[in-house]
Each structure stands twice: as C-alpha cells, then as structure tokens.
C-alpha cells in the first residue's frame, strides 16, 4: 500500500488557518470525553502539559516516564528562556516577525502553517505559565523582562534566570499532579516503552518494561501520544541527559511510522569543550550568555598555541590581536547569530589552528567588557548560577577569565512525521515536542524548544486529538487481544536474545564507537564519501553487537533493575536509527541549517558572493530539488529505507539566501 502524506493544512489565509481549523475540528462533549482513554509517553513539557490538559478536559490518561519522577524529565535542563511575541520591549516584535524569524532560522525547511500556529500560540503560553506561578524575571516596573537570543533582532525571550526549563517544568508538574490527585491521570514512573501495539493498523497501546521489577506488560487506550524528546545521544557525547534515547519513536518507526528529516540535528555553539575520553556527556552553557559575552579567538595561531600551553593568559592578549569573528562576519547579528552559523564559524577558527582549549577545540566567551560596562553585581544577577556551574566544571573563575566553549550536539529538529493535527501516518499515533519534525526545519532558534513543547501540549493536541477520537468506539480495545500478546512476546524474545549474547564488549564501548562515527561523518560537516563509509561501518558494528560470544556483554538478568540492559536496548535502536540518519544526510545533496554538506557551499566564484548577498563558505541550498520534508520508511535492519516526500509550499514567505550580515 502506497503512503500518501496528507498534511491536512487548513485552507485560507495563513493568519486564519488555526482559528479556522479549531472551528472546523470535531468536538466531543464533556460527558463522552470520560469514556475515552489516552496514553501519553513522556512527562516533560510536551507530555506533562498534554497529560494534564487532556485530563482537565475529562479524558482518562495514563502517563509513562522512565525517570523516577516527571520532575526529572530532560525539559528541566533548558536554561535560557522561552520565546513569545508579546512585544513588551516595544521594539517591533509581532506574531508575524516571530513566524518569519523561525522560518528563516530553519533555513526554509519547515512547514509554514505549523510555524505560524506556533508563533500565534506563543503569547498564550506565557499567560498560562504566569497563572501557574512560574517566576519569570521582571523589570523594575513589574512587566515581565525579556532578553535576546540568536537569530532575532528583537528581545522576545522570557526567562527565569538560568533555570527557565526547570521553572516551567515545575509549573507543568503542578498541573499534572493535580490531575493525578483527582484521578484523571494515572502515572507510571520508572516504566519504559519498548514497543507500539497496532490493532487494525491503528495505534492502540504500548508494551512497557517496569524498570524496578523487569516485568513486561501492556497498556491499551483509544489513542497514543509520544512526547519522548530527541535522539541527540546517537552521537554518544551530547548535551542531553544520558537517559535520553530514540527507542519510543524508533519502535514506532519499526511499526510503520515515517521518520522525517533525521539528518537535521542541531550543534549548539555554547558548550564546555570536551576534556578527555572519560567523558560520558557534555555540558551546555546557555545561549543567553551571548547577550553579554563576546566570542573571540586570537588572530594568530602562534598566540593560540601559547594559550593552549598555558604560557600566557587570555587577559594578556591585546585587543588588536583578538578576532571577534562573529561580529566580523555577521555584523547585524554578531554574537547572537543563529546556532548553526555560530557553530560552523567556531569550527572554522579552530580548524585554522586558532583554538584555545588544550585540545585545540575551543573558543573564548568573554564577559570582560560587560562587567566593565554594567558592573559585576549586575552580571551575577543575570547569570550567577550559570557562572557557578562553569566554575565547578572548568575550575576557572569566569568573572576574571573568559569561558571556553565549543559546539556540541544539542537538539534534533527531525522526528516522526506528523500532520497539522500532530498525528503521524499511523492513525491514532500523535507525536509532540522534539519527538516530531514539524516546526524547526533545518535549525531551531534558541528558546523555541520550550515554546513548541508547551504549545503542542497545552494548546494544540487538546483540540486536534478529537478529530481522531470521534471516529473511534471508546474502550473497544483491551490487552487481551492477540495483537498485544504478540507484541509482548516479540519484546520478551528481543530482551532474551540480548541477554544471551554474552559477548566481550560493554554497551558503552559500542555506543562510543557509533557516536564517533556519527560525529565525524554526520556531525558539523558531512560528505558523500564520509556518509558512504559511515553506513557501511554502522552495519558492521551492529552485526558485531548481536554476535553471540563476541558482541555486547550484559551482566545480570531482565528480572530486576538492570541499567546495562536498559542501555543495551537503547543502543541497539541507535545502531539502526543512525544508519537512517546517514541515508537522509547522503540523499540531501544541499547544505541547509544544521545539515552542512561540504560539497554544497558558496564559493568566491558564485555570483551571490560577488554581489555581496552572502559569503564564501556559507550553506548553499538547492530549493528546486530539496524544498521538501524527507520522510523515511523503515524496511528492516540492513536494508535501505524508502524515501517519501512532502513538498514544502510557501504561500506567505519567499525562500531566500539566509544572510545575517
């Protein structure tokens, strides 16, 4: 059966699509809502908001997370802020400008209607969170304060010091706990989804493992929502929590869900550099620091060598010997250039031998000028917890010496394909937040992840899920059906097979090897030759992983707590998913946003460079061939996935060369 990608985008003017869609959407009366059950996998901002909102409406909700509490969802790690177009600064912001900045920031590779809806809903998110008691920073007069983030020339980012994700999650958690107390939500912590159950081609349940007892079980519902975050840990080293994984969305992919734009991963420019092979994760320093910090390297490789050898202090480098390369290359946006552009600029400086960390992979983020201008107490008030975190990790005082930063994997713009209702191509399977592909194109602007997660959970899915549920008979599916028994049996067999390998290598050794290949060949720069080699090598690693007596070694059993078994299942999925990422990156013969193919960049010979529209070395899109969503169909491990395309049609904006100069 051929797959038709129907985005279900409403007709009419862009500004009226969401209002029209809400009016045209089906309704379920309050008494009947109680008859429907919904499974929500994930309890971060998207999942927690969806579970709380749906329960408040009357639906019976089951919510699952592998953490010991929803409070430990990875949303808590977001630091810098959340975007909204309230224009409190009176600096020219509007819903239209937020929409355009997001489309442009994503390098014209996101769906226009979804992005406009996101911008439109953004203001309601702030009102909702203020009502929940989220302690946003305020100006002296009492209005909520704003700061700037990359890719925008207005101040639209609302923040709670450097703990915005944590404070938003606490607000969401309170709403969720209220519904748990009332009985509308049944919470299942320390429970990991291991497979999706289809009944008649519809998503009607999940198979889970209790991470305390090892028990395998099933849960049925009238619809399933995945809000399980991104897949950045396919690179092993990333800013994600170590438990973040692709398993839920990949299990859905194995059941027929299409995975869209997997090669669109974001490299964040402001991370603490790698210090050694012993590291298992990286630490993000908030993009908000780029409001007041200036990024530079020495102009001379010789000076950089002395800095790396600790033969001189960065404070001894004269102003004339410093290259503030973002301010030089992108004067309109400077240190607030978008993440993909800032990351590549840092890599170029280090590739020229001007990196300043001991590994040569690091640049300075310097607050000297801001401290002189505003005073240290002001900088402490703005960023104190972030400075403290840096000092504890790096062992240097960032008030007296510049921070060292370098790009690292942070966010994933790809995810399961969804339509305007946030439903995948599998009927009944809805996907929210970072787990879907819809809003960020090839590069997410800073402070838009929290915006999307809460928009999807609080405002979109409570309206759109009814369009599916009205066609379903509530409670018609239960776990006694053979489809549930079959999927449970397949899950048990897979676990048993992994435990029986009894090989010679640790799970982490496989994960680290995969991550290095992904970073080297599908990271900040990609090439056809490198991706060809990566696809071949990943298949070899996967075969070794599953080879009895030689592959992975998982101590213990599956009958109790076994973290190595948990990790092994996730790495096994990464070993399949990473191959699809490389196929996607190889097929997309262009550069856009976070996807930089070295064969496709502007050169001095291009008329666009000669006319001053862009610079040599910038990403070169090919809109005539690649203005589409690449949605991949899994065809079995070791087989090439099949590509399906959704054309991106822009009615309100015109795709152009993305210039921040």
């Amino acid at each position: 059966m051929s797959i038709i990608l129907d985005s279900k985008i409403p007709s009419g003017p862009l500004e009226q699509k969401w209002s029209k869609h809400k009016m045209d959407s089906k309704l379920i009366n309050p008494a009947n809502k109680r008859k429907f059950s919904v499974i929500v996998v994930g309890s971060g901002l998207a999942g927690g908001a969806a579970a709380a909102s749906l329960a408040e409406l009357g639906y019976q909700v089951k919510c699952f997370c592998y953490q010991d509490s929803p409070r430990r969802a990875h949303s808590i790690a977001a630091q810098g802020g959340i975007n909204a177009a309230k224009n409190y600064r009176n600096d020219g912001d509007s819903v239209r400008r937020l929409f355009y900045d997001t489309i442009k920031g994503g390098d014209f590779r996101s769906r226009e209607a979804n992005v406009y809806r996101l911008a439109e809903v953004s203001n309601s998110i702030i009102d909702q969170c203020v009502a929940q008691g989220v302690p946003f920073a305020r100006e002296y007069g009492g209005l909520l304060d704003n700061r700037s983030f990359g890719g925008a020339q207005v101040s639209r980012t609302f923040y709670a010091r450097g703990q915005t994700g944590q404070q938003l999650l606490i607000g969401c958690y309170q709403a969720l706990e209220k519904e748990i107390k009332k009985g509308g939500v049944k919470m299942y912590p320390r429970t990991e989804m291991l497979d999706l159950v289809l009944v008649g081609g519809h998503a009607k349940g999940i198979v889970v493992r209790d991470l305390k007892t090892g028990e395998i079980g099933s849960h049925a519902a009238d619809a399933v929502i995945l809000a399980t975050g991104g897949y950045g840990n396919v690179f092993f080293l990333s800013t994600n929590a170590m438990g973040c994984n692709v398993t839920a969305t990949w299990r859905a992919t194995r059941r027929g869900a299409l995975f869209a734009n997997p090669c669109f991963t974001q490299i964040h420019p402001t991370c603490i550099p790698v210090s050694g092979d012993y590291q298992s994760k990286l630490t993000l320093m908030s993009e908000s620091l780029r409001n007041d910090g200036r990024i530079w390297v020495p102009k001379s490789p010789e000076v950089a060598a002395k800095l790396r050898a600790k033969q001189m202090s960065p404070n001894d480098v004269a102003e004339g010997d410093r290259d503030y390369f973002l301010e030089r290359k992108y004067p309109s946006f400077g240190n607030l250039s978008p993440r993909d552009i800032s990351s590549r600029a840092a890599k170029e400086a280090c590739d020229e031998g001007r990196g300043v960390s001991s590994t040569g992979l690091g640049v300075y983020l310097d607050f000297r000028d801001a401290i002189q201008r505003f005073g240290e107490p002001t900088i402490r008030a703005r960023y104190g917890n972030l400075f403290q975190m840096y000092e504890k990790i790096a062992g240097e005082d960032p008030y007296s010496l510049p921070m060292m930063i370098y790009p690292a994997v942070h966010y994933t713009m790809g995810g399961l394909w969804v339509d305007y209702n946030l439903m995948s191509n599998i009927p009944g399977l809805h996907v929210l937040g970072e787990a879907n592909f819809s809003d960020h194109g090839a590069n997410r602007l800073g402070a838009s992840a929290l915006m999307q997660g809460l928009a999807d959970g609080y405002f979109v899915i409570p309206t759109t899920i009814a369009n599916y549920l009205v066609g379903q008979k509530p409670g018609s599916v239960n776990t006694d059906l053979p489809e549930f028994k079959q999927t449970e049996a397949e899950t048990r067999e897979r676990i048993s097979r992994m435990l029986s390998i009894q090989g010679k290598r640790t799970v982490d050794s496989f994960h680290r090897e995969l991550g290095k290949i992904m970073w080297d060949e599908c990271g900040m720069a990609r090439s056809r030759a490198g991706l060809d080699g990566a696809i071949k090598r990943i298949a070899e690693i996967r075969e070794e992983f599953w080879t009895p007596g030689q592959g992975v070694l998982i101590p213990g059993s599956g009958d109790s707590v076994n973290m190595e078994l948990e990790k092994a299942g996730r790495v096994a999925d990464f070993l399949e998913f990473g191959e699809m990422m490389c196929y996607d990156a190889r097929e997309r013969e262009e550069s856009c946003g976070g996807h930089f193919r070295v064969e496709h960049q502007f050169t001095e010979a291009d008329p666009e460079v000669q006319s001053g529209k862009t610079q040599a070395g910038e990403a070169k899109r090919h809109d005539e061939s690649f203005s589409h969503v690449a949605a991949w169909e899994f065809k079995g491990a070791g087989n090439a996935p099949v590509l399906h395309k959704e054309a991106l049609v822009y009615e309100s904006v015109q795709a152009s060369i993305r210039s921040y100069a």
Side-chain angles (χ1 to χ4, degrees):
M1 183 179 68
S2 62
I3 295 175
I4 299 174
L5 296 181
D6 180 6
S7 62
K8 294 185 171 60
I9 296 173
S11 60
L14 185 65
E15 295 80 3
Q16 299 174 21
K17 288 183 186 294
W18 178 228
S19 296
K20 180 179 185 296
H21 191 67
K22 287 190 288 185
M23 189 64 197
D24 294 343
S25 290
K26 306 296 184 180
L27 295 176
I28 302 173
N29 78 51
N32 286 340
K33 284 190 178 80
R34 293 193 293 270
K35 300 176 183 178
F36 287 97
S37 60
V38 179
I39 284 172
V40 179
V41 185
S43 61
L45 288 180
S53 299
L54 292 172
E56 183 78 39
L57 289 172
Y59 296 105
Q60 297 299 309
V61 178
K62 291 182 177 180
C63 186
F64 298 82
C65 69
Y66 64 78
Q67 298 94 344
D68 54 7
S69 164
R71 281 279 303 275
R72 294 182 66 83
H74 187 56
S75 301
I76 202 170
Q79 298 165 341
I82 176 171
N83 288 331
K86 281 189 172 291
N87 195 30
Y88 282 168
R89 288 288 184 91
N90 196 28
D91 56 1
D93 201 10
S94 64
V95 168
R96 179 79 188 186
R97 191 176 295 277
L98 174 54
F99 154 74
Y100 181 73
D101 285 348
T102 305
I103 285 280
K104 178 183 176 183
D107 218 350
F108 302 94
R109 289 294 176 262
S110 49
R111 192 189 281 155
E112 189 181 62
N114 288 67
V115 176
Y116 193 89
R117 176 174 64 186
L118 177 64
E120 185 179 351
V121 166
S122 67
N123 291 338
S124 298
I125 297 172
I126 302 303
D127 296 338
Q128 168 97 353
C129 294
V130 169
Q132 291 175 335
V134 173
F136 287 119
R138 293 182 181 268
E139 296 177 329
Y140 181 75
L143 280 179
L144 300 184
D145 197 11
N146 293 116
R147 56 190 176 198
S148 299
F149 258 59
Q153 291 178 304
V154 297
S155 293
R156 64 163 65 103
T157 303
F158 295 79
Y159 65 98
R161 211 177 180 194
Q163 307 167 350
T164 311
Q166 178 177 344
Q167 299 303 328
L168 290 173
L169 188 61
I170 289 171
C172 177
Y173 175 72
Q174 291 175 141
L176 180 62
E177 285 295 311
K178 176 173 74 73
E179 294 305 317
I180 293 171
K181 175 69 173 177
K182 288 171 58 179
V185 176
K186 185 169 177 56
M187 192 72 216
Y188 294 86
R190 297 292 292 148
T191 306
E192 183 170 25
M193 172 187 164
L194 294 183
D195 216 332
L196 179 71
V197 181
L198 303 185
V199 179
H202 289 235
K204 293 297 181 183
I206 60 174
V207 172
V208 301
R209 179 173 181 267
D210 186 313
L211 299 182
K212 302 185 298 293
T213 67
E215 181 181 358
I216 304 295
S218 298
H219 295 267
D222 297 301
V224 176
I225 293 173
L226 300 185
T228 52
Y231 47 86
N233 277 353
V234 70
F235 293 89
F236 186 70
L237 287 178
S238 81
T239 67
N240 292 182
M242 290 178 65
C244 293
N245 61 82
V246 76
T247 289
T249 49
W250 186 246
R251 295 284 108 194
T253 302
R254 289 180 63 93
R255 294 293 175 187
L258 299 183
F259 212 110
N261 299 337
C263 79
F264 286 168
T265 56
Q266 179 167 85
I267 312 298
H268 197 296
T270 317
C271 301
I272 298 178
V274 175
S275 57
D277 291 340
Y278 56 83
Q279 279 186 267
S280 55
K281 78 175 299 294
L282 298 173
T283 302
L284 170 70
M285 299 307 296
S286 169
E287 183 175 314
S288 64
L289 294 169
R290 294 201 276 155
N291 275 272
D292 291 308
R294 300 179 70 192
I295 296 173
W296 65 275
V297 291
K299 292 180 178 178
S300 160
E302 290 74 23
V303 173
K306 292 181 179 179
L307 290 166
R308 290 195 296 270
K310 303 293 185 184
Q311 295 174 356
M312 66 183 300
S313 167
N315 293 337
D316 296 332
V317 180
E319 187 69 14
D321 294 331
R322 300 181 177 200
D323 178 15
Y324 296 95
F325 54 88
L326 291 179
E327 299 172 32
R328 171 175 55 82
K329 296 183 69 173
Y330 312 105
S332 294
F333 286 75
N335 296 299
L336 288 171
S337 297
R339 291 175 175 179
D340 59 321
I341 287 173
S342 301
S343 294
R344 281 201 298 277
K347 180 181 184 296
E348 289 169 6
C350 293
D351 288 347
E352 293 167 0
R354 297 188 291 143
V356 295
S357 70
S358 59
T359 62
L361 302 178
V363 301
Y364 287 131
L365 177 61
D366 197 337
F367 288 83
R368 181 195 64 180
D369 293 350
I371 290 172
Q372 290 175 355
R373 186 182 310 116
F374 301 117
E376 187 174 314
T378 297
I379 300 301
R380 284 186 180 274
R382 290 177 180 173
Y383 311 112
N385 61 309
L386 298 173
F387 276 50
Q388 182 184 45
M389 182 171 71
Y390 179 87
E391 184 173 7
K392 286 184 178 242
I393 293 171
E396 292 184 344
D397 175 16
Y399 293 102
S400 58
L401 290 172
M403 294 181 180
M404 278 193 288
I405 57 169
Y406 193 70
V409 173
H410 177 57
Y411 187 88
T412 53
M413 285 75 68
L416 293 187
W417 183 90
V418 292
D419 62 17
Y420 195 71
N421 290 318
L422 302 185
M423 189 167 77
S424 74
N425 61 295
I426 296 178
L429 178 65
H430 299 75
V431 192
L432 313 186
E434 191 178 359
N436 77 35
F437 86 98
S438 64
D439 290 10
H440 306 298
N443 174 64
R444 176 177 67 81
L445 292 185
S448 288
L450 304 182
M451 178 173 62
Q452 186 207 355
L454 291 179
D456 288 356
Y458 281 142
F459 297 104
V460 179
I461 198 63
T463 295
T464 61
I465 198 170
N467 290 309
Y468 171 76
L469 290 175
V470 291
Q472 306 301 304
K473 181 180 178 182
S476 60
V477 172
N478 61 63
T479 56
D480 292 331
L481 292 174
E483 289 89 344
F484 284 86
K485 302 304 179 186
Q486 175 66 25
T487 308
E488 273 191 38
E490 291 171 2
T491 300
R492 289 191 175 92
E493 191 280 330
R494 186 167 183 266
I495 291 174
S496 176
R497 183 184 169 201
M498 275 195 294
L499 288 167
S500 68
I501 293 172
Q502 290 298 298
K504 299 178 180 179
R505 292 182 57 182
T506 64
V507 176
D508 281 351
S509 73
F510 280 101
H511 195 179
R512 189 183 294 274
E513 185 175 5
L514 171 67
K516 187 176 189 312
I517 292 170
M518 297 301 297
W519 176 251
D520 288 346
E521 310 300 349
C522 198
M524 291 181 70
R526 297 113 185 245
S527 69
R528 171 166 281 276
L531 291 164
D532 284 342
I535 291 169
K536 180 176 182 294
R537 183 64 190 125
I538 291 169
E540 294 170 349
I541 297 171
R542 187 173 60 247
E543 182 178 356
E544 181 184 354
F545 179 96
W546 287 102
T547 301
Q550 300 295 320
V552 71
L553 172 63
I554 306 171
S557 72
D559 299 329
S560 61
V561 174
N562 190 335
M563 293 183 66
E564 287 301 298
L565 177 60
E566 294 171 31
K567 289 194 296 183
R570 297 164 188 169
V571 171
D573 289 331
F574 278 138
L575 284 166
E576 293 180 356
F577 171 71
E579 195 171 37
M580 181 180 281
M581 278 185 68
C582 292
Y583 272 107
D584 186 38
R586 187 178 69 176
E587 188 275 340
R588 188 169 285 276
E589 290 277 3
E590 66 167 350
S591 291
C592 57
H595 169 66
F596 190 76
R597 283 285 297 270
V598 296
E599 306 98 321
H600 302 282
Q601 53 185 301
F602 284 102
T603 68
E604 297 289 353
D606 284 313
E608 295 89 347
V609 175
Q610 294 175 0
S611 66
K613 288 183 178 179
T614 189
Q615 305 175 55
E618 297 295 340
K620 189 174 187 178
R621 295 196 324 266
H622 299 302
D623 293 338
E624 67 284 356
S625 302
F626 293 98
S627 187
H628 63 250
V629 177
W632 293 89
E633 180 184 1
F634 180 70
K635 287 295 186 180
N639 297 320
V642 173
L643 174 62
H644 304 269
K645 298 178 182 179
E646 176 201 339
L648 291 171
V649 179
Y650 294 112
E651 301 173 354
S652 185
V653 299
Q654 182 177 355
S656 59
I657 294 174
R658 194 168 60 128
S659 173
Y660 291 91

